[in-house]
Amino acid sequence: MRKLLVFLILLVVLLAVLDRVAVAGVQRDLANRIAAASDVQGTPEVEITGIPFLTQAVSGHYQEVRFDLGTLRYGGVPIENLKGAAYDVTAPLADLLQNRADIRAGRVAVSGTLTNETIDRFAPQGVKISGKGDRFVASGELMVGAQKVKFNAEMKVEMTEGGVRLQAEKIEGVPAQLARFVSYTIPFKGKLPFDVKVTGVKSVPGGLQISAEASDVPIRG
């Protein structure tokens, strides 16, 4: 009985070790594929969730694969803390071992942040942008006739074809028609990883969070 107990304990330990070794190898392979798909320098951090891993590997189906791409630049605009997850990933073990390309995710979601510093950097001259909780506000001076007049305005944020648009609303201190001199667009060019499409933008304490998704996504090497 004692020998059987020892054997079972050793078997459990061996399976646990094999599980961790296997997950490290598959995560490395997926990290290389994600790096190729997102055109990042270096290798992104990848984590396959779910235990035990070997069960997922044998079935060739992974519920969730999380990844961290760090900071990427699009047309000179840095998107920081770009993270995401691939869901319902189909990755047959034979394909992974032989480096085949037939690996797909049912859905991929990513999100990243335009920092307050970046948002302020693209603002018109004389306009200062700052975060106020989950909103943005603009302040500065505008020419009204022959003199400079101080103003304050709340900023509405939305995605447009040319980038991220900050539109002045509820402007105070100057005539409402001058709001157009406070409004501006942060150019946003280039494709996001996996050709995801932007689904939303919202103000967060650290800046502006951009969310994007795509369905039926190939994860090629």
Side-chain angles (χ1 to χ4, degrees):
M1 187 67 178
R2 183 177 180 182
K3 289 183 178 180
L4 178 59
L5 182 60
V6 171
F7 171 76
L8 291 175
I9 292 174
L10 290 175
L11 181 61
V12 170
V13 172
L14 177 60
L15 289 175
V17 171
L18 288 175
D19 189 85
R20 291 302 91 193
V21 171
V23 74
V26 175
Q27 284 180 168
R28 183 168 55 250
D29 181 88
L30 290 176
N32 291 332
R33 293 172 182 270
I34 290 171
S38 53
D39 195 25
V40 299
Q41 294 183 347
T43 304
E45 296 180 10
V46 171
E47 177 189 5
I48 297 175
T49 64
I51 296 176
F53 166 78
L54 287 177
T55 302
Q56 298 185 78
V58 172
S59 68
H61 182 264
Y62 304 86
Q63 293 180 343
E64 182 178 350
V65 178
R66 299 174 184 172
F67 52 86
D68 186 345
L69 303 177
T71 299
L72 293 183
R73 289 183 172 272
Y74 294 89
V77 180
I79 300 182
E80 299 188 5
N81 197 30
L82 190 58
K83 297 182 180 181
Y87 301 95
D88 297 325
V89 178
T90 301
L93 192 57
D95 287 356
L96 287 173
L97 294 176
Q98 298 181 37
N99 196 31
R100 296 174 183 170
D102 191 18
I103 296 175
R104 309 186 76 85
R107 181 171 67 93
V108 172
V110 301
S111 65
T113 303
L114 293 176
T115 65
N116 287 326
E117 291 78 10
T118 297
I119 295 166
D120 189 58
R121 176 163 61 90
F122 283 89
Q125 185 176 5
V127 177
K128 177 69 177 178
I129 304 294
S130 59
K132 185 178 181 181
D134 61 351
R135 297 182 296 114
F136 287 111
V137 295
S139 60
E141 294 180 334
L142 291 174
M143 292 298 297
V144 178
Q147 62 180 2
K148 290 183 178 180
V149 178
K150 292 184 178 180
F151 73 90
N152 291 285
E154 292 187 7
M155 306 295 285
K156 176 184 177 181
V157 183
E158 60 185 357
M159 288 296 301
T160 65
E161 186 174 344
V164 180
R165 179 71 176 171
L166 282 83
Q167 183 73 38
E169 294 185 331
K170 299 180 181 179
I171 194 165
E172 299 176 350
V174 297
Q177 58 266 33
L178 295 183
R180 67 181 186 276
F181 295 110
V182 180
S183 306
Y184 67 102
T185 299
I186 301 175
F188 195 80
K189 299 179 180 179
K191 294 182 179 180
L192 285 167
F194 308 109
D195 289 339
V196 294
K197 305 301 181 184
V198 175
T199 56
V201 291
K202 66 176 182 179
S203 302
V204 294
L208 178 66
Q209 185 181 75
I210 298 175
S211 301
E213 290 191 9
S215 299
D216 191 23
V217 180
I219 305 178
R220 299 185 175 89

